[in-house]
């Protein structure tokens, strides 16, 4: 089979031919239909903290057709279209049976979606209803990540929500926050402080982000490099009840403390592998609650699929391109820079 393979940290990906997978007992082989490129895939090629290296095939946001089953697999048949929950887990322990595979003792992150075929386990497969496309199946994962964050945040009807970051997770939080009854949902673009030191907001890119944010359910969008805190406050009509940090760069917790109301909540969704500093006195003085959110439950994954199945059209605005395996290495590099793209899907 053909696959897009990691060559090592800080190296471009490469298309290679690998042996076709044959299923061991308990395995499921999926012909990948669509696989999303995730911001964390980019980080995996830049940061040793993720434990990925030469020879690995990335891709944890995928859906496809079941083409082979190992001995003993029940509940699936070849030809089934499935979305794969990328939380590799045993399926039998108390955490797995409670629908919380992220806390399974054998937990790992499933990859392998940047290829014609991927091997997974039956407990990670969710059968797609007729109404859901393979592209829908590939965006369930980021939707579930965002839904878990919103569920963890304690968001109440009528709340004022500020989202830092206009990428797929930030926009997916906007979608769920609006559905949960938030009165104001403002998405704030964050220029990556490291790569974009001048903190220049490129107007053309910001226009695309604004359109997408509003299409996903946001009531407002701000991209003001000169006065990020004031601009968000004006759009919200005050400080936020909840700030969702959906970027993961140092400095944003401190900014969020500034932007949240007294006794408000900061919900951390952005994955930051570098140390961050913030003034705990400023945080304590406001009695801010800081909550972290990782992954999702099986129920949340299914709820994201149910929302698409029930006709929610907003999340499809996340997808800005569908590309071949051959085009993947180049597009992957392009996504490291600020771009018009949001979620790019690979169709192997
Ligand atoms: Zn992801
Ligand atoms: Zn388990």
């Amino acid at each position: 089979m053909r696959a897009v393979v990691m060559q090592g940290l800080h190296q471009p990906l490469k298309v290679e031919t690998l042996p076709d997978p044959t299923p061991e007992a308990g395995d499921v082989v999926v012909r990948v239909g669509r696989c999303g490129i995730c911001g964390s895939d980019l980080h995996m090629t830049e940061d040793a903290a993720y434990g990925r290296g030469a020879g690995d095939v990335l891709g944890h946001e995928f859906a496809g057709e079941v083409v082979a089953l190992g001995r003993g697999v029940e509940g699936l048949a070849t030809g089934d279209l499935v979305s794969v929950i990328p939380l590799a887990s045993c399926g039998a322990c108390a955490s797995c049976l409670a629908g919380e595979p992220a806390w399974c003792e054998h937990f790992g992150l499933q990859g392998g979606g940047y290829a014609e075929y991927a091997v997974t386990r039956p407990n990670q497969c969710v059968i797609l209803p007729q109404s859901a496309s393979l592209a829908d199946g590939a965006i369930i994962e980021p939707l579930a990540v965002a839904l878990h964050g919103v569920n963890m945040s304690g968001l109440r009807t009528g709340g004022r929500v500020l989202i830092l970051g206009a990428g797929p997770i930030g926009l997916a939080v906007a979608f769920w926050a609006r559905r949960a009854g938030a009165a104001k949902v403002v998405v704030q673009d964050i220029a990556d402080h490291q790569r974009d030191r001048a903190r220049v907001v490129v107007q053309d890119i910001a226009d695309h982000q604004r359109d997408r944010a509003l299409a996903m359910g946001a009531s407002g969008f701000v991209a003001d490099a000169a006065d990020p805190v004031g601009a968000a406050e004006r759009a919200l009509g005050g400080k936020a009840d909840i700030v969702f940090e959906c970027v993961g760069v140092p400095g944003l917790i401190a900014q969020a403390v500034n932007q949240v109301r007294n006794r408000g909540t900061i919900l951390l969704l952005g994955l930051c592998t570098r140390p961050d500093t913030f003034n705990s006195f400023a945080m304590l003085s406001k009695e801010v609650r800081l909550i972290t959110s990782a992954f999702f439950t099986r129920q949340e994954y299914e709820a994201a699929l149910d929302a698409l199945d029930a006709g929610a059209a907003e999340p499809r605005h996340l997808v800005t391109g569908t590309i071949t395996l051959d085009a993947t290495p180049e597009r992957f590099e392009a996504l490291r820079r600020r771009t018009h793209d949001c979620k790019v899907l690979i169709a192997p």
Side-chain angles (χ1 to χ4, degrees):
M1 68 168 181
R2 303 179 73 239
V4 176
V5 182
M6 233 181 115
Q7 307 295 303
L9 291 177
H10 311 291
Q11 315 242 1
L13 306 176
K14 213 169 129 190
V15 180
E16 292 180 5
T17 302
L18 302 180
D20 284 344
T22 45
E24 309 260 322
D27 282 348
V28 177
V29 179
V30 173
R31 179 189 291 132
V32 180
R34 293 287 187 280
C35 179
I37 297 177
C38 176
S40 53
D41 296 341
L42 299 170
H43 293 141
M44 284 176 201
T45 65
E46 294 167 346
D47 189 334
Y50 290 93
R52 294 291 192 273
D56 285 336
V57 178
L58 303 175
H60 59 268
E61 302 178 358
F62 65 94
E65 181 189 348
V66 174
V67 291
L69 297 170
R71 218 168 4 89
V73 174
E74 287 170 14
L76 286 171
T78 54
D80 283 345
L81 298 185
V82 295
S83 175
V84 175
I85 299 176
L87 308 179
S89 47
C90 75
C93 71
S95 295
C96 284
L97 294 176
E100 304 203 313
W103 310 119
C104 174
E105 274 186 38
H106 305 280
F107 173 74
L109 192 61
Q110 156 107 45
Y114 293 9
E116 288 180 284
Y117 300 98
V119 181
T120 187
R121 309 284 286 186
N123 53 301
Q124 293 173 242
C125 293
V126 177
I127 294 180
L128 292 173
Q130 287 263 314
S131 63
S133 66
L134 290 168
D136 291 339
I139 60 169
I140 295 171
E141 198 265 354
L143 289 174
V145 167
L147 176 58
H148 186 61
V150 170
N151 287 341
M152 294 284 285
S153 74
L155 174 65
R156 298 219 181 110
T157 311
R160 275 201 289 244
V161 168
L162 176 63
I163 297 163
L164 303 182
I169 297 297
L171 298 186
V173 167
F175 168 69
W176 293 115
R178 207 57 187 277
R179 277 171 86 93
K184 294 261 186 178
V185 177
V186 171
V187 174
Q188 179 167 10
D189 176 51
I190 302 295
D192 186 320
H193 305 293
Q194 265 226 323
R195 292 180 189 126
D196 195 359
R197 281 176 211 284
R199 301 189 65 185
V200 175
V201 174
V202 181
Q203 198 52 48
D204 179 38
I205 291 177
D207 288 345
H208 280 82
Q209 287 175 322
R210 177 188 309 275
D211 291 348
R212 269 197 297 272
L214 300 181
M216 285 290 286
S219 57
F221 174 86
V222 292
D224 188 333
D227 180 20
V229 174
E233 216 163 299
R234 284 188 294 279
L236 277 172
K239 294 210 181 273
D241 297 308
I242 307 175
V243 179
F244 289 88
E245 198 283 85
C246 301
V247 181
V249 294
L252 285 184
I253 297 176
Q255 182 177 325
V257 171
N258 229 325
Q259 295 185 290
V260 75
R261 68 163 164 81
N262 293 336
R263 313 198 85 178
T265 298
I266 298 172
L267 198 294
L268 276 191
L269 273 164
L271 279 176
C272 185
T273 57
R274 285 170 281 162
D276 194 0
T277 53
F278 55 88
N279 183 334
S280 60
F281 180 72
M283 191 181 265
L284 180 148
S285 305
K286 294 172 85 169
E287 284 197 346
V288 171
R289 293 195 306 155
L290 178 64
I291 300 177
T292 60
S293 172
F295 303 115
F296 42 80
T297 65
R298 186 180 178 99
Q299 290 81 351
E300 286 162 339
Y301 201 88
E302 288 173 353
L305 174 56
D306 288 346
L308 293 169
D309 188 29
E314 298 94 326
R316 294 174 185 137
H317 291 285
L318 292 175
V319 179
T320 52
T322 303
I323 61 174
T324 62
L325 281 176
D326 285 316
T328 300
E330 196 183 323
R331 191 70 160 262
F332 193 83
E333 293 308 309
L335 287 169
R336 295 187 198 279
R337 300 179 292 276
R338 286 176 70 74
T339 141
H340 291 97
D341 271 323
C342 189
K343 179 61 71 186
V344 176
L345 301 182
I346 303 169

